[in-house]
Amino acid sequence: RKEVEQDPGPFNVPEGATVAFNCTYSNSASQSFFWYRQDCRKEPKLLMSVYSSGNEDGRFTAQLNRASQYISLLIRDSKLSDSATYLCVVHRMDSNYQLIWGAGTKLIIKP
Amino acid sequence: NAGVTQTPKFQVLKTGQSMTLQCAQDMNHEYMSWYRQDPGMGLRLIHYSVGAGITDQGEVPNGYNVSRSTTEDFPLRLLSAAPSQTSVYFCASSRGQLGTGELFFGEGSRLTVL
C-alpha cells in the first residue's frame, strides 16, 4: 500500500462546476500537508498548504481530517485553466525523505 | 528571475552510457534535491543536499551520484545508464526547512535510455 494515495482520475468536470478530491495518508507521524499543481509536461508548483483548521485561497479550499487521515481539495466555479494534475504531499519529520508525494489526481475542465 | 535551471531538457542515451544532469539555482537556497517522476507513481527522491559539501541518499539512489561543491550547483550523474532510468528528472530547492512544503522546481529533464 502506498503511503500517500490519490485517485488518479481523470475527473472530467464542466466549467463552472465544483469538484473535490481526497488524498489519504497512512502514517500518523505525518505533520504537514500540501497540494501542488502540475500542468502537463511542466514542473510541480505549490498550490497551497493544508492547515488543521482548513484554509481557503480564492476558489480553492483545503481541509485536513487527522482522525481519518485524509486531506481534501475543493475547487469552486472551476475554470478551464484549472485543468492539471493535483499532487498531494505529506511532510514527515521522522523520515529522511521528509516529503512524501502522491501520484496525483488528473482534472480536466470541459467547456 | 532564473530560479532553478536544469539542463538538458531532453536526452537519449544508450544502455551503459554515462551523463550528468545539471542543476543550478540563484536563490541562495541551502536545500537542493533530485527527484524522478514515473507514470502512476509519486515523485521519488534520489539524492538531496542540505548545504555545500553535504549530500545524502533518498529513496532511490542506486545508479546515481551527486556532489555539492557550491550552494548554487547540484549535478546528478548517471554512472551507467539502464532502461529503468528512463524517466523525467526534476531538480528542486528550498529555503530550508521542508515543513513549509515549498519546493522550487526546475523545468525537468526527460531522459530516455535505449
Side-chain angles (χ1 to χ4, degrees):
Chain A
R1 183 189 173 191
K2 295 178 183 176
E3 183 169 344
V4 177
E5 294 207 73
Q6 297 183 252
D7 183 335
F11 284 53
N12 290 284
V13 175
E15 191 176 10
T18 295
V19 59
F21 27 83
N22 291 341
C23 163
T24 59
Y25 61 95
S26 59
N27 195 309
S28 58
S30 303
Q31 291 192 298
S32 308
F33 309 87
F34 311 93
W35 285 104
Y36 271 71
R37 171 196 169 121
Q38 185 173 23
D39 293 324
C40 187
R41 301 178 77 84
K42 298 288 189 180
E43 73 273 21
K45 293 183 180 177
L46 180 64
L47 178 65
M48 59 196 306
S49 303
V50 187
Y51 305 124
S52 296
S53 56
N55 51 304
E56 190 173 306
D57 183 2
R59 298 182 292 108
F60 296 81
T61 300
Q63 297 207 311
L64 166 64
N65 186 316
R66 283 194 186 272
S68 300
Q69 297 190 186
Y70 73 88
I71 66 172
S72 63
L73 180 67
L74 182 141
I75 306 174
R76 289 180 299 276
D77 187 23
S78 53
K79 312 290 185 190
L80 296 176
S81 57
D82 295 332
S83 296
T85 296
Y86 291 85
L87 308 176
C88 170
V89 187
V90 171
H91 178 227
R92 284 175 46 201
M93 285 299 293
D94 65 340
S95 167
N96 285 340
Y97 316 132
Q98 297 194 341
L99 293 180
I100 315 297
W101 295 75
T105 295
K106 186 170 185 177
L107 175 64
I108 301 171
I109 306 298
K110 296 188 175 298
Chain B
N1 292 337
V4 179
T5 303
Q6 277 183 245
T7 56
K9 287 187 170 47
F10 301 93
Q11 184 71 48
V12 178
L13 291 178
K14 294 180 180 178
T15 297
Q17 288 184 317
S18 62
M19 76 158 298
T20 299
L21 299 177
Q22 301 291 346
C23 176
Q25 52 91 9
D26 62 359
M27 297 173 283
N28 202 32
H29 286 171
E30 291 297 324
Y31 180 91
M32 295 186 75
S33 55
W34 277 101
Y35 286 91
R36 59 178 290 172
Q37 187 174 37
D38 300 294
M41 304 185 74
L43 289 168
R44 291 185 292 168
L45 184 65
I46 304 170
H47 285 284
Y48 66 98
S49 169
V50 297
I54 306 169
T55 64
D56 206 346
Q57 297 181 351
E59 180 185 0
V60 288
N62 292 342
Y64 308 94
N65 263 358
V66 292
S67 59
R68 183 95 180 270
S69 56
T70 67
T71 299
E72 293 77 21
D73 299 300
F74 190 46
L76 177 73
R77 296 182 194 85
L78 280 71
L79 309 173
S80 177
S84 61
Q85 293 179 304
T86 294
S87 188
V88 180
Y89 292 84
F90 288 102
C91 179
S93 71
S94 173
R95 291 186 184 91
Q97 294 296 326
L98 291 186
T100 65
E102 186 162 26
L103 285 175
F104 295 84
F105 284 85
E107 293 183 336
S109 299
R110 294 181 175 275
L111 175 66
T112 301
V113 182
L114 303 175

